[in-house]
Amino acid sequence: MRIKMVIAYDGTNYYGYQHQPGKVTIQDTFEEKLAIICKKHITTYASGRTDGHVHAKGQVLHFDTDIEMKENNWMRALNSLLPEDIKVVSVEKVDDEFHARFSAVKKEYRYYIKLGEYDIFKNNYTAYYEKLDVSKMKEAIKYFLGTHDFKSYSRFVDKKPTIRTIYTAQINELEDNILEIKFIGNGFLKYMVRIMVGTLIDVGLGRKEVDDVLKILELKDRTKASKTASPNGLFLYKVYYGKE
Amino acid sequence: MRIKMVIAYDGTNYYGYQHQPGKVTIQDTFEEKLAIICKKHITTYASGRTDGHVHAKGQVLHFDTDIEMKENNWMRALNSLLPEDIKVVSVEKVDDEFHARFSAVKKEYRYYIKLGEYDIFKNNYTAYYEKLDVSKMKEAIKYFLGTHDFKSYSRFVDKKPTIRTIYTAQINELEDNILEIKFIGNGFLKYMVRIMVGTLIDVGLGRKEVDDVLKILELKDRTKASKTASPNGLFLYKVYYGKE
């Protein structure tokens, strides 16, 4: 039987999602607890990896098991074993065609920036800039919308295709001087959200012009974009399957 | 010259405020950075210690130095050296009579509890209970107001006096299902806020009656009060000097 789970985690104390020998990762921590319930190691498949210190509100994974248990009991059993910074949000029995990674049709990431006064209690979950020109950033972010080759905005990985479609790219000003940058797309390349955000930050700081964002996109050259924004502001917010 | 500083810290990764050999504490971290500026070790004096994982929005300390520097430059120099979870909030040159601990006339602590759905991103800064009877807790907290012997609500330390006056004791319901428990008093004994909160939580859970809070106060017996609430919800919010 195949089980789909939505999990949330505070990535602050982890070396990213994916298994790494000798490092504490989300996947290793999760599978270690799952093994206690299943009495053997079971490999899980996630919608994708997240980098060190990146958080998730809605990471999705699946695994196969013979264990018969109600959805709610899976959730309770795992949450009683998992540390306080990783929690199962929902559990669903799915058919064997479902794959957390390959069935995903859209992903949503959100990036948070604290403006104004520095707040140490927001530091694990936001990047910090005293002042950014938000209206310029709102203009610039529109260039990411649509289907483009995002080579400039990703870490080059061999010959993998770099064309992606972004359906939503918007900036919201929340309470407490917090900026929320939201991206929904059919997929995101390695570091892509953080490099896009890093470049938008440079627009907000006046180090780049609004239409540099477009020019960089067209140049297909990673060295033209800004540096990768810090991981702590980034949240894998939701993974979409089918018509949602 | 005597310098007064207000500092804020996220206590999550520290073994409390006070110096402890072989442990990472706020005081040690702060004095280590101060030594870089002063080119020698300088002992600082705080308004009081805070326990491991307890936070501060307004801890106050003082120290003496010959170094001539503007208040703003002290702040900038230290903040550039301090880690992201400890920051200087304000700096003031004071006369030699000022003492961060002995000149303090009132202290304010706030304790935060997350109700409803568990939120991993609030876990470092709140205790969590799904449901508490807040109206009963609001009744019960009133018993703490005024001058009492708080022996039941503190960890017994030798023969030290246990009489304290509480001027403000109130519970506010904030956004996102967060409960704020606020105490202002002329001083607080070891674990006092957390034992008072632990007992209020038991009232909220129905494990204790509202007037048990008064009965426990009168019994002067630590074993009658509830267990010490977890440190992560506690903030040293402000230290008052003179007529504030």
Side-chain angles (χ1 to χ4, degrees), chain A residues 8-10 13 55-57 84-87 118-121 123-125 175 235, chain B residues 8-10 13 55-57 84-87 118-121 123-125 175 235:
Chain A
Y9 46 82
D10 178 338
N13 298 313
H55 315 291
K57 287 250 183 190
E84 295 306 304
D85 50 8
I86 306 178
K87 289 295 166 202
Y118 178 74
D119 181 345
I120 52 170
F121 301 105
N123 186 57
N124 290 340
Y125 313 114
E175 273 184 10
F235 289 70
Chain B
Y9 47 83
D10 178 339
N13 298 315
H55 315 291
K57 287 250 183 186
E84 294 307 304
D85 50 8
I86 306 179
K87 289 295 167 202
Y118 177 75
D119 181 346
I120 52 170
F121 302 105
N123 185 58
N124 290 341
Y125 313 113
E175 273 184 10
F235 288 71

Side-chain angles (χ1 to χ4, degrees), chain A residues 126-162:
Chain A
T126 55
Y128 172 67
Y129 292 86
E130 195 185 342
K131 213 170 168 228
L132 292 174
D133 188 328
V134 178
S135 62
K136 279 192 180 168
M137 294 168 73
K138 283 181 177 177
E139 279 184 72
I141 198 174
K142 291 179 197 161
Y143 290 119
F144 293 127
L145 282 167
T147 302
H148 307 281
D149 185 338
F150 283 95
K151 196 169 170 183
S152 291
Y153 292 98
S154 66
R155 197 173 109 165
F156 180 67
V157 180
D158 209 12
K159 285 170 183 164
K160 288 193 178 171
T162 47

Side-chain angles (χ1 to χ4, degrees), chain B residues 5-17:
Chain B
M5 286 191 184
V6 180
I7 68 167
Y9 47 83
D10 178 339
T12 305
N13 298 315
Y14 295 90
Y15 280 86
Y17 182 81

